[in-house]
Amino acid sequence: MSKLFLIGTGPGDKDLIAPKAIAAIQASTDLVAYGLYLDLLGDVCDGKTHHDLPLGQEIDRARLALSLTASGKDTALVSSGDIGIYAMATLVFELLDRQLQGLEDHPEWLDVDIEVVPGISAMQAGASRVGAMLGHDFCTISLSDLLTPWETIEKRIHSCGTGDFVVSFYNPRSKKRDWQINTARDILLQYRPANTPVLLGRQLTREDESITMTTLDKLHSDDVDMFTMVTVGNSQSRHIINGQKEWIYTPRGYNKKL
């Protein structure tokens, strides 16, 4: 039986790709992805049939990967970060769910053998760059309202505030969306101090990576783009400076035992 690998390749640095992900790509004959993701992988993709579909064609990518596998080809559907976090894995399983409900006409998809290979997400890569920002309870919220109503997103931001979670904002801004991150900032300022540490991680682990440490009151959409991940600390997160070294960490409560 042919196999469909759902692969997360991490934030961009080749050294952060899991060996299991490399092995899965090597075991595949066909690779389905947004072209940039394959470019970042380099020569590990040599000798494979590439199916490059642009941004915005996620549904087509998932359908193609399922159909290629059902036709007998070992296929890898490749995503950056972790493919199960704001990525393609959920769409594959949604299509299978629709088939089981009789909403699709691809019964052959149900015979596909699927293996999900996790990867390091942007929030983990960003936290590692500044210390231990995700050291206590945290959540992630996507600010894109293309698929989720803004009213739902706003409710989740308030819940994050009342729960005092560290939060990583994915999709904080795009060419058509430039106000959501400022609104999220204003909501969180209702619940935590203005000097709460904030990380802006752009193109994390890639050649043009930039890391900025700022505070919640200074967070602004002008400093964020679609390649930026924003992580906001909780009320206990600390920004510490030792000479030219700076770190952000979120304590777990060990100070009570120290």
Side-chain angles (χ1 to χ4, degrees), residues 27-74:
S28 301
T29 60
D30 290 68
L31 309 179
V32 181
Y34 170 50
L36 174 63
Y37 302 154
L38 300 182
D39 293 341
L40 290 170
L41 290 170
D43 57 11
V44 70
C45 299
D46 290 350
K48 312 295 181 181
T49 301
H50 292 200
H51 304 270
D52 303 346
L53 279 75
L55 293 176
Q57 294 188 17
E58 287 76 17
I59 295 175
D60 292 337
R61 263 184 265 155
R63 289 180 182 276
L64 177 59
L66 283 165
S67 294
L68 285 170
T69 312
S71 72
K73 297 179 179 180
D74 290 316

Side-chain angles (χ1 to χ4, degrees), residues 88-141:
M88 294 296 299
T90 184
L91 183 49
V92 169
F93 291 110
E94 186 170 355
L95 287 171
L96 291 177
D97 190 8
R98 284 174 56 84
Q99 177 59 43
L100 288 168
Q101 296 177 63
L103 300 175
E104 299 284 339
D105 188 23
H106 294 279
E108 69 277 8
W109 287 353
L110 299 180
D111 294 326
V112 168
D113 184 18
I114 297 176
E115 180 176 349
V116 182
V117 182
I120 294 173
S121 69
M123 64 180 174
Q124 292 170 290
S128 74
R129 285 296 196 247
V130 298
M133 203 166 180
L134 303 179
H136 210 328
D137 296 336
F138 62 90
C139 67
T140 65
I141 298 176

Side-chain angles (χ1 to χ4, degrees), residues 171-232:
N171 306 307
R173 178 175 177 168
S174 71
K175 293 180 180 179
K176 297 181 180 180
R177 296 183 299 102
D178 61 358
W179 56 270
Q180 283 91 337
I181 188 64
N182 290 345
T183 301
R185 172 203 63 206
D186 293 342
I187 292 173
L188 289 180
L189 282 170
Q190 300 175 34
Y191 301 97
R192 58 194 66 174
N195 65 350
T196 298
V198 172
L199 160 68
L200 305 180
R202 186 178 188 278
Q203 295 283 41
L204 286 161
T205 79
R206 302 178 186 180
E207 290 184 358
D208 53 346
E209 174 189 84
S210 67
I211 298 292
T212 301
M213 289 180 256
T214 184
T215 54
L216 184 57
D217 61 334
K218 295 178 181 177
L219 174 60
H220 196 279
S221 62
D222 288 348
D223 301 317
V224 175
D225 65 15
M226 66 180 68
F227 303 107
T228 307
M229 195 212 59
V230 179
T231 298
V232 180

Side-chain angles (χ1 to χ4, degrees), residues 156-176:
R156 290 170 180 171
I157 299 170
H158 278 286
S159 296
C160 166
T162 57
D164 200 25
F165 290 97
V166 176
V167 56
S168 291
F169 288 115
Y170 282 69
N171 306 307
R173 178 175 177 168
S174 71
K175 293 180 180 179
K176 297 181 180 180

